[in-house]
């Protein structure tokens, strides 16, 4: 029940925003978020003292370009993450480029 509601909300969101991102894309984004570095980005980012990515994205202070730059280069306590992202099984299975994998992760964070 919970799952079907979430799927419905996802569809409604895509329809409302008029964007081409599918639930498959946000699914892959979730897998990256949950599995990168073995325990996921949330190991650090679900802790209140670290940057709250969904809030920053929704507030417009973390745009797609900055997001990508931090994943590529790291920042302070934030490790470089692009290699980890590209190793993700779902990313490999879908044959995504770096750009598309980052897109999926960014889109997932918008829905989180
Ligand atoms: C080892 C802990 C850790 C892990 C794992 C981690 N992060 Fe971070 N991340 C941080 C810390 C700490 C910062 C703040 C760095 C700073 O501003 O100096 C940060 C900052 C960021 C920023 C920049 C936010 C901003 O507005 O400046 C982004 C984007 C980000 N992380 C994305 C991710 C993603 C996506 C993942 C998973 C692929 C991830 N992080 C995994 C600790 C982590």
């Amino acid at each position: 029940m919970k799952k079907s509601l979430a799927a419905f909300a996802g569809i409604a969101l895509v329809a409302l925003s008029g964007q081409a991102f599918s639930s498959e894309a946000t699914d892959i984004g979730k897998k990256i978020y949950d599995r990168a570095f073995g325990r996921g980005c949330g190991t650090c980012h679900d802790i209140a003292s670290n940057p709250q990515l969904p809030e920053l994205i929704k507030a417009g202070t973390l745009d797609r370009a900055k997001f990508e730059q931090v994943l590529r280069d790291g920042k302070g306590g934030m490790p470089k993450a692009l290699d980890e992202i590209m190793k993700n099984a779902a990313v490999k299975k879908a044959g995504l480029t770096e750009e598309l994998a980052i897109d999926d992760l960014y889109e997932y964070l918008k829905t989180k």
Side-chain angles (χ1 to χ4, degrees):
M1 181 61 183
K2 226 175 162 188
K3 224 174 177 177
S4 61
L5 268 180
F8 177 74
I11 290 163
L13 204 73
V14 170
L16 280 174
S17 63
Q19 288 186 339
F21 291 105
S22 63
S23 61
E24 192 195 344
T26 50
D27 246 34
I28 294 174
K30 181 176 183 353
K31 285 177 182 152
I32 297 169
Y33 189 84
D34 290 346
R35 296 177 191 170
F37 303 105
R39 298 171 73 182
C41 313
T43 311
C44 298
H45 285 283
D46 291 349
I47 297 171
S49 53
N50 283 331
Q52 299 298 292
L53 304 173
E55 282 70 17
L56 292 171
I57 291 172
K58 284 170 205 161
T61 51
L62 177 57
D63 65 20
R64 174 65 178 70
K66 185 178 172 198
F67 184 71
E68 175 166 347
Q69 192 209 324
V70 173
L71 295 180
R72 279 188 191 282
D73 302 339
K75 181 185 178 195
M78 168 69 203
K80 290 184 185 182
L82 198 54
D83 286 352
E84 273 299 314
I85 290 169
M86 297 314 289
K87 276 190 224 158
N88 185 280
V91 170
K92 282 189 176 166
K93 189 171 170 220
L96 300 184
T97 60
E98 290 180 350
E99 290 298 319
L100 289 175
I102 296 168
D103 276 348
D104 286 2
L105 179 55
Y106 194 74
E107 288 309 308
Y108 165 65
L109 288 169
K110 283 187 194 167
T111 68
K112 191 169 144 51

